[in-house]
Amino acid sequence: MVVFCTKCGAQNEDFSQHCVQCQATLPVIGNRPTAYQPDYQPPFQTAYEPIQPPAPMYGQGSNLDRQSKGADKKIIAGILGIVVGGFGIHKFILGYQREGLTMLLVSVLSCGTLAGFMHIIGIAEGIIYLTNSDEEFVRTYIQGHKGWF
């Protein structure tokens, strides 16, 4: 690229800093190097940064995390709640001994007269367990310890 002097209008070489005719300072155009350009030195790294493992793709890590927290109990508890909900077995699966024992004792000690009522509760809870997402199930019934419905 040709550089023209702003004072006399003379044509100069690409990387000239002074005009060949009038010795005036030429304007810096584009990325033309200045008077002194030191050799390239990489920037100083202050601290070592270890390579981080890649982030889990498409929710792989969170799926394993939900299963370790108890989302794998959702299907078993839901089916048992629908099939034999009157005996409270689905409550024992989730770790609710008090609620499970209550349902079992009400069904057995009433000689089956209230077993139908307990079975309706079990069916409703089984449907609720199966229709919740894994995250919501873990948050509500595993971490939140919601005993009824």
Side-chain angles (χ1 to χ4, degrees), residues 48-59:
Y48 170 75
E49 295 181 21
I51 297 174
Q52 299 295 324
M57 294 179 56
Y58 307 111

Side-chain angles (χ1 to χ4, degrees), residues 15 36 39 46 53 58 68 77 92 107-108 110 114 119 123 136 145:
F15 298 112
Y36 174 71
D39 293 334
T46 57
Y58 307 111
S68 67
F92 290 112
S107 295
V108 172
S110 68
L114 295 177
H119 190 71
I123 290 173
E136 187 176 359
H145 300 290

Side-chain angles (χ1 to χ4, degrees), residues 85-86 103 106-107 112-124 148-149:
M103 290 182 80
V106 166
S107 295
T113 56
L114 295 177
F117 179 69
M118 289 293 125
H119 190 71
I120 291 172
I121 292 174
I123 290 173
W148 297 100
F149 293 100

Side-chain angles (χ1 to χ4, degrees), residues 34-84:
T34 56
Y36 174 71
Q37 183 178 19
D39 293 334
Y40 173 76
Q41 294 178 353
F44 179 72
Q45 294 181 348
T46 57
Y48 170 75
E49 295 181 21
I51 297 174
Q52 299 295 324
M57 294 179 56
Y58 307 111
Q60 292 171 351
S62 62
N63 188 20
L64 295 174
D65 191 38
R66 285 192 308 265
Q67 287 180 355
S68 67
K69 289 183 179 179
D72 53 342
K73 298 178 182 179
K74 177 180 113 167
I75 295 176
I76 297 169
I79 291 173
L80 286 176
I82 292 172
V83 175
V84 288

